[in-house]
Amino acid sequence: MSLSDHFEKLEDAFIGEINCDAQLYRHRKTGAEVLSLIGDDENKVFGASFRTPSSDSTGIAHIMEHSVLCGSQKYPVKAPFLEMLKSSLNTFLNAVTFSDKTVYPVASTNLQDFYNLVDVYLDAVLRPRITPEILKQEGWHYELDTPDAQLTYKGVVFNEMKGGYSSPDDRVARLSWRSLFPDTGYGYDSGGDPVNIPELTYDQFKRFHERCYHPSNAKFFFYGNDDPDRRLEILGDALDGFSAIEPETVIKLQPRFNEPRKIEYPVPVNADAAASDKQTRITLNWMLGETGDLDESLAMSVLGSILLGNAAAPLRKMLIDSGLGEGVIGGGYSASSLQSVLSTGLK
């Protein structure tokens, strides 16, 4: 079959800012979208992205990000990700869980190494060997050091998030975000709340992969000076065997509040914690416009930098000079969600 039998070209344009030809395709059988950027750059980049909204705070998206990199059908080794880090010529290799999506980017200047990385990543995300044992390893499991010891929870993501939740600043940032989105998936912690992580079952885990890590829910990305037809051949082979589904991963908009809300959260602090960790923290948080409006998002990003971007920024300086607190907290402007956010405050 020809490439046109596998992919339908939706758009073809030249982007002068990066001196690239941009070609947008749709995989005919599954509906997967592919953005192919063709330019004179030896840095070759690939990315696979999946919409992964949360319906709870079990950290299912975060645990899945770890788990798919623990071996696949074609590469049934314990940790292909670590093997690639040791032996590949990659210039970038990572995986990241956001509040509504999970992305797997790789890059290399060596052509064959690049194709190897793409092949491993595609098999990892589409055909992983996510067994119950892998969920226990990467997510959570029970541990008992001695017969008379207290039963405890352990797991790679559980331990990671337990460390994150021990930071007052980190916890306040999460709570600030949740306060703005009580009615959507953004109100949950995609990374996982240690209180909720042990609620995740293997059946839920398996269904999440079948639904969210399907080509019908994927967007793929290529950039560099490699053969654009070869990109589609590799991707077409990886998508072979999949049929279209309805993944039901649509992200809903948070309805706006009728009036400002004030929410207080008690945060546990150890008795021997540093004095700075015992300080009260307060943030002001605004839900702004939809990030699909690129002009408004750019304008708000510039405004956020002007107000809070450095020590001399007027709003940041005013907060410090007020004497009401000892340090500025809050993430400033963020357009990483469907609706952008501005957050700032003091401790």
Side-chain angles (χ1 to χ4, degrees), residues 66-117:
H66 282 241
S67 298
V68 300
L69 298 173
C70 291
S72 62
Q73 289 184 15
K74 193 173 180 180
Y75 303 97
V77 297
K78 182 178 181 180
F81 184 78
L82 297 179
E83 295 300 323
M84 289 188 293
L85 282 174
K86 291 189 295 185
S87 60
S88 167
L89 299 173
N90 71 84
T91 53
F92 190 83
L93 180 70
N94 208 347
V96 186
T97 303
F98 293 88
S99 56
D100 55 7
K101 57 186 172 290
T102 309
V103 301
Y104 297 85
V106 295
S108 180
T109 57
N110 181 280
L111 182 62
Q112 188 56 55
D113 182 59
F114 176 64
Y115 288 154
N116 292 342
L117 293 170

Side-chain angles (χ1 to χ4, degrees), residues 52-61 99-100 182-190 196 199-200 204 207-208 211-212 248-250:
T52 54
S54 298
S55 58
D56 55 43
S57 292
T58 60
I60 189 170
S99 56
D100 55 7
D183 305 311
T184 76
Y186 294 119
Y188 300 108
D189 190 343
S190 62
N196 302 115
E199 299 169 3
L200 178 62
Q204 292 172 318
R207 289 197 301 270
F208 183 85
R211 177 171 58 90
C212 293
E248 298 180 356
T249 56
V250 174

Side-chain angles (χ1 to χ4, degrees), residues 116-189:
N116 292 342
L117 293 170
V118 172
D119 192 48
V120 172
Y121 257 40
L122 281 172
D123 203 60
V125 297
L126 297 175
R127 298 176 176 87
R129 55 181 190 95
I130 44 173
T131 63
E133 289 70 31
I134 288 177
L135 172 58
K136 292 175 184 177
Q137 171 186 292
E138 300 299 322
W140 72 275
H141 61 269
Y142 294 112
E143 272 198 18
L144 190 64
D145 294 331
T146 62
D148 57 347
Q150 184 177 359
L151 197 64
T152 60
Y153 295 117
K154 293 291 177 64
V156 175
V157 170
F158 180 85
N159 293 343
E160 178 184 331
M161 297 309 297
K162 190 176 178 181
Y165 270 70
S166 67
S167 163
D169 287 344
D170 185 83
R171 182 171 290 210
V172 169
R174 295 175 191 276
L175 292 172
S176 296
W177 187 272
R178 292 189 205 181
S179 70
L180 291 174
F181 299 99
D183 305 311
T184 76
Y186 294 119
Y188 300 108
D189 190 343

